[in-house]
């Protein structure tokens, strides 16, 4: 359904673009990953494409910037705010939809208004990268030392979870393996002990969830190497 919205470019009523785009962005965390020809398509890509089609139909640059600003203000998660700015103001392969000045202004607002835990932490689908972005912009490592909020840990782990897949020639079976960028997570929390304490707190809240069990596997010393190793 989201993909089919792209075909309506040019027909979106301009007065409804801001509210419609923000409504989509506010549901990014609910969109599942999709496999297309063996490749994983991130939910953010699925959601942002119709938003781009809406904004691209607005010819006047000033009007487009005003609508983009309204969308940004109505978007609840920092994850979607940041993705919006990247998608319309930091493009490398095509012209930007907003000015560099506006993109800088919106990024600065993300930094100045960010709090931990975020007010809509359950909707933060890219929280680990938001902490990294804040750290880059402020020049201070965004270490979550002492962060014992289970919601934050859950959102951070969920946002870094990825799946690698492999399908053998002539086989219909697709093998999938869940992984974390473990070294990056340790850097984010400061030490592996701090990350371990956060995972323990999450276990108390969620029990033996998939996120917790995978984290504990890493804490036991396991590291993802390749599908060829039967122990992986």
């Amino acid at each position: 359904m989201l993909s089919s919205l792209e075909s309506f470019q040019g027909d979106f009523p301009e007065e409804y673009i801001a509210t419609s785009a923000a409504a989509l962005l506010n549901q990014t965390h609910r969109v599942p990953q999709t496999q297309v020809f063996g490749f994983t398509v991130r939910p953010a890509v699925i959601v942002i494409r119709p938003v781009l089609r809406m904004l691209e139909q607005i010819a006047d640059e000033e009007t487009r910037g005003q609508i983009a600003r309204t969308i940004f203000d109505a978007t609840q998660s920092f994850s979607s705010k940041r993705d919006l700015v990247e998608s319309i103001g930091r493009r490398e392969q095509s012209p930007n939809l907003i000015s560099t000045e506006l993109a800088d202004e919106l990024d600065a607002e993300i930094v100045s208004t960010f709090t931990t835990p975020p007010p809509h932490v359950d909707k933060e689908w890219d929280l680990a990268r938001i902490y990294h972005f804040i750290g880059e912009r402020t020049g201070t490592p965004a270490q979550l030392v002492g962060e014992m909020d289970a919601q934050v840990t859950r959102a951070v782990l969920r946002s870094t979870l990825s799946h690698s897949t492999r399908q053998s020639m002539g086989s219909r079976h697709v093998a999938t393996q869940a992984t974390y960028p473990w070294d990056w997570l340790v850097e984010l929390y400061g030490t592996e002990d701090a990350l371990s304490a956060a995972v323990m707190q999450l276990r108390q809240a969620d029990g033996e969830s998939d996120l917790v069990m995978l984290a504990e596997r890493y804490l036991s010393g396991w590291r993802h190497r390749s599908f060829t190793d039967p122990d992986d």
Side-chain angles (χ1 to χ4, degrees):
M1 184 274 289
L2 289 173
S3 298
S4 67
L5 286 177
E6 295 184 57
S7 64
F8 290 94
Q9 183 175 358
D11 295 327
F12 295 110
E14 187 173 305
E15 63 270 26
Y16 297 127
I17 287 178
T19 53
S20 299
L24 293 178
L25 291 171
N26 286 332
Q27 299 303 318
T28 304
H29 64 290
R30 297 179 60 193
V31 179
Q33 287 189 346
T34 302
Q35 292 287 329
V36 179
F37 301 115
F39 294 96
T40 299
V41 181
R42 297 187 305 117
V45 174
I46 298 171
V47 173
I48 199 65
R49 287 180 64 89
V51 173
L52 295 178
R53 301 295 87 82
M54 293 180 191
L55 287 171
E56 286 169 351
Q57 80 171 38
I58 303 171
D60 182 70
E61 182 178 354
E62 182 177 354
T63 301
R64 191 166 59 242
Q66 292 172 350
I67 292 177
R69 174 77 212 203
T70 302
I71 295 171
F72 178 91
D73 291 340
T75 299
Q76 295 173 335
S77 74
F78 290 100
S79 300
S80 289
K81 284 179 182 287
R82 177 66 188 141
D83 190 57
L84 175 66
V85 177
E86 281 284 305
S87 300
I88 65 178
R90 309 290 187 196
R91 306 204 290 191
E92 297 181 357
Q93 305 299 324
S94 55
N96 287 315
L97 298 177
I98 61 174
S99 66
T100 300
E101 292 75 18
L102 179 55
D104 289 343
E105 177 185 328
L106 297 180
D107 274 344
E109 188 166 322
I110 291 174
V111 174
S112 64
T113 59
F114 181 77
T115 60
T116 185
H120 300 284
V121 65
D122 59 315
K123 295 186 176 184
E124 295 292 351
W125 51 268
D126 205 17
L127 187 56
R129 292 189 185 277
I130 293 299
Y131 280 113
H132 182 69
F133 170 72
I134 299 296
E136 279 190 332
R137 285 305 179 103
T138 60
T140 304
Q143 292 183 354
L144 297 178
V145 178
E147 178 58 77
M148 289 293 104
D149 189 309
Q151 291 188 90
V152 170
T153 303
R154 185 186 305 115
V156 167
L157 293 181
R158 187 176 57 220
S159 70
T160 59
L161 180 67
S162 63
H163 295 84
S164 56
T165 60
R166 187 191 68 171
Q167 186 172 13
S168 301
M169 185 70 69
S171 173
R172 294 182 179 181
H173 176 67
V174 178
T176 302
Q177 188 170 79
T179 63
Y180 289 133
W182 192 251
D183 290 342
W184 191 44
L185 283 172
V186 171
E187 180 182 345
L188 189 62
Y189 276 84
T191 66
E192 190 164 86
D193 286 342
L195 177 54
S196 176
V199 171
M200 185 179 300
Q201 183 77 10
L202 182 61
R203 171 183 264 277
Q204 293 176 2
D206 291 0
E208 295 182 348
S209 69
D210 290 343
L211 293 175
V212 169
M213 296 301 288
L214 180 59
E216 291 182 343
R217 192 178 184 193
Y218 274 95
L219 287 168
S220 71
W222 175 85
R223 295 294 183 269
H224 167 65
R225 291 185 294 276
S226 71
F227 272 107
T228 59
D229 189 334
D231 292 334
D232 284 351

